[in-house]
Amino acid sequence: MFRRWHNAPDPEENDAMHQEAKVTELKNAIGPLSGLSLQFCNDACLRRYLEARNWNLDKSKKMLEDTLKWRATFKPEEIRWHEVANEGETGKVYRANFHDRHGRTVLILRPGKQNTTSHDNQLRHLVYLIENAILNLPEGQEQMMWLIDFTGWSLTNSVPVKTARETVNILQNHYPERLAMAFLYNPPRIFETFWKIVKYFLDTKTFQKVKFVYPRNEDSIELMRQYFDVEILPTEFGGKDGSHYDHEEFSSLMAQDDVKATSFWGLDKKLTCTSNGHLGAEVAPEPVLVTRQGN
């Protein structure tokens, strides 16, 4: 008698099939969507929410629904640079003109350059730049990098704990799996006091993505060099690029990107897309959500 041999199942293939099934389940659980919500909730987006909640359908659904409500109120896709440009005058947050070694968009944050006291506008400015970073992600890339420079930072010019907490909430609950890694470069010793408070707001996944880098610590410097080319890295992060933030130049770039964002979200059209893929007449819907491919 001859025994029939069967190919052993491919674990990766089974895992991929399981994940696709979960995406379909979440899509069905969320129900019909239209407008910006439909565009936001593509398969890549659903996958990120599932991954953020360890593929638990109920928890992922709750997380996504909360984001849709937040986006309907906050309207991140409608923020334009001229509305928040005053927040960026000192270059406290901006999109870098380089990528990491994996082609990911880089946001540079310099908390020591804080120049305003408006909690709401500070958040709108940051959300605008997160959306902009996502809009400029290369094809096939879904995550961004954060580089945080602590030059000039002190407890006296740090953002209030309320703002820090809301920033963390927005990033990890409304942009899940968007952050690849955040490098905190050379924070002063006094930052430890602030960090002891902020770290309790972070979930485990986000916490593990935060890396402290000290110029005299070879291990942390080596870790950073695994992700960034020293030749294009700004000098404030131990690199060789001595160029500085130019607000006028950056504002011009953001004005161009605002046109791109308006087109991407279809905000320049008087039509809305329904869940069956057809274009419908203009509606005055309750604000719906969206995000770049896989936001």
Side-chain angles (χ1 to χ4, degrees):
M1 296 286 293
F2 291 95
R3 184 179 298 171
R4 263 181 103 177
W5 294 94
H6 297 277
N7 290 330
D10 184 340
E12 290 188 6
E13 183 178 339
N14 285 345
D15 191 48
M17 291 173 63
H18 172 73
Q19 291 182 5
E20 288 308 310
K22 280 289 187 179
V23 168
T24 300
E25 284 184 55
L26 180 56
K27 190 181 300 183
N28 292 335
I30 291 296
L33 297 170
S34 63
L36 296 178
S37 293
L38 176 63
Q39 187 177 352
F40 180 76
C41 294
N42 58 26
D43 286 0
C45 172
L46 300 183
R47 194 173 292 110
R48 282 195 304 275
Y49 277 80
L50 285 162
E51 189 172 341
R53 289 296 178 261
N54 296 313
W55 299 88
N56 180 292
L57 182 62
D58 292 336
K59 291 181 179 180
S60 301
K61 178 175 180 286
K62 172 68 165 56
M63 186 185 195
L64 180 53
E65 288 175 339
D66 287 345
T67 291
L68 294 178
K69 291 175 184 176
W70 173 79
R71 292 186 71 91
T73 302
F74 203 94
K75 303 182 189 304
E77 68 283 337
E78 294 184 14
I79 303 173
R80 294 296 172 258
W81 177 248
H82 71 271
E83 301 170 6
V84 295
N86 68 304
E87 294 286 343
E89 289 177 354
T90 59
K92 65 186 179 187
V93 187
Y94 62 97
R95 176 167 60 83
N97 61 0
F98 60 88
H99 295 79
D100 77 345
R101 294 186 188 276
H102 298 278
R104 292 178 286 219
T105 306
V106 179
L107 280 187
I108 291 179
L109 295 83
R110 302 189 294 175
K113 297 286 187 179
Q114 184 56 257
N115 62 324
T116 68
T117 57
S118 171
H119 168 82
D120 291 342
N121 220 39
Q122 286 173 5
L123 290 178
R124 280 169 56 80
H125 176 241
L126 179 62
V127 167
Y128 171 89
L129 287 166
I130 291 175
E131 290 279 322
N132 182 265
I134 292 169
L135 184 70
N136 284 283
L137 284 172
E139 193 67 35
Q141 187 55 263
E142 296 190 12
Q143 294 184 312
M144 71 186 83
M145 300 287 280
W146 282 19
L147 288 177
I148 307 175
D149 167 31
F150 281 88
T151 302
W153 183 91
S154 68
L155 287 177
T156 56
N157 65 9
S158 65
V159 297
V161 172
K162 173 187 176 183
T163 304
R165 183 171 188 169
E166 186 61 22
T167 297
V168 169
N169 171 61
I170 288 173
L171 179 64
Q172 65 186 17
N173 292 325
H174 300 315
Y175 293 95
E177 300 302 315
R178 280 304 194 182
L179 179 67
M181 201 170 293
F183 286 100
L184 280 58
Y185 191 83
N186 203 26
R189 185 172 294 276
I190 192 65
F191 178 73
E192 293 177 9
T193 303
F194 188 73
W195 178 246
K196 286 178 182 177
I197 300 173
V198 174
K199 70 180 183 180
Y200 288 110
F201 306 150
L202 302 175
D203 61 31
T204 302
K205 284 191 173 184
T206 305
F207 182 80
Q208 292 173 344
K209 294 177 179 180
V210 177
K211 306 296 179 184
F212 285 76
V213 179
Y214 298 94
R216 295 183 182 179
N217 184 305
E218 281 300 321
D219 289 340
S220 63
I221 290 296
E222 181 56 35
L223 175 64
M224 193 166 178
R225 288 176 178 172
Q226 290 178 20
Y227 291 90
F228 296 98
D229 181 349
V230 177
E231 297 296 325
I232 63 174
L233 199 61
T235 53
E236 55 265 38
F237 294 102
K240 298 182 179 180
D241 182 4
S243 59
H244 299 286
Y245 174 79
D246 184 312
H247 185 60
E248 186 175 337
E249 183 180 312
F250 189 73
S251 294
S252 176
L253 178 64
M254 292 302 97
Q256 295 174 40
D257 278 0
D258 281 351
V259 175
K260 184 164 62 173
T262 299
S263 175
F264 175 79
W265 292 115
L267 297 175
D268 54 346
K269 299 183 178 69
K270 294 289 186 180
L271 297 173
T272 181
C273 191
T274 62
S275 56
N276 61 11
H278 294 100
L279 290 177
E282 176 186 352
V283 293
E286 54 229 49
V288 230
L289 338 149
V290 216
T291 244
R292 160 200 179 93
Q293 275 211 53
N295 233 40

